[in-house]
Amino acid sequence: QVQLVESGGGLVQAGGSLRLSCVVSGSIFSIYDMGWYRQAPGKQRELVAHITTIGSTNYADSVKGRFTISRDNAKNTVYLQMNSLKPEDTGIYSCTLYGRTGNLWGQGTQVTVSS
């Protein structure tokens, strides 16, 4: 059974940084693209960052230059480094594995940025 477990969320002041981690178990991690999504209160879930199996990345325009997605295949882990955080970055951040039959999701981790 494949499981994705996020960690690293919390409360931070505007301008601060957080690093999210997502550990994948029960699957061959290295053969799948991975992504981070977020959902703010009252809004739809949106893609924040995506990383391919070979490390190519793309980002939402709202986080370009501030967030960095990376992966460590030896640790079955994908990271999201978030710098210069803004109150509008507040939300539940979830990692996803782009599987052959659909996306698999973690339970999410709350990120709250105070002004």
Side-chain angles (χ1 to χ4, degrees):
Q1 182 178 356
V2 180
Q3 287 189 317
L4 291 74
V5 179
E6 300 99 334
S7 61
L11 174 63
V12 64
Q13 288 188 332
S17 298
L18 284 174
R19 188 195 196 203
L20 306 183
S21 300
C22 173
V23 179
V24 179
S25 60
S27 175
I28 304 173
F29 174 78
S30 62
I31 67 173
Y32 296 107
D33 289 5
M34 297 293 299
W36 285 96
Y37 282 71
R38 70 184 178 192
Q39 186 165 21
K43 295 186 177 181
Q44 288 190 328
R45 185 166 56 188
E46 62 173 350
L47 175 67
V48 175
H50 170 267
I51 186 166
T52 70
T53 56
I54 60 171
S56 299
T57 59
N58 66 279
Y59 299 90
D61 288 343
S62 59
V63 307
K64 282 181 181 176
R66 300 188 297 121
F67 290 12
T68 303
I69 188 172
S70 62
R71 66 190 298 161
D72 185 337
N73 289 339
K75 295 182 179 180
N76 281 15
T77 302
V78 61
Y79 303 97
L80 185 67
Q81 178 66 45
M82 306 186 294
N83 298 328
S84 301
L85 282 161
K86 304 175 181 179
E88 52 263 44
D89 294 319
T90 293
I92 298 174
Y93 285 69
S94 302
C95 68
T96 188
L97 180 150
Y98 293 84
R100 291 188 174 89
T101 58
N103 285 38
L104 300 176
W105 297 89
Q107 82 289 351
T109 186
Q110 176 70 45
V111 171
T112 303
V113 184
S114 63
S115 57

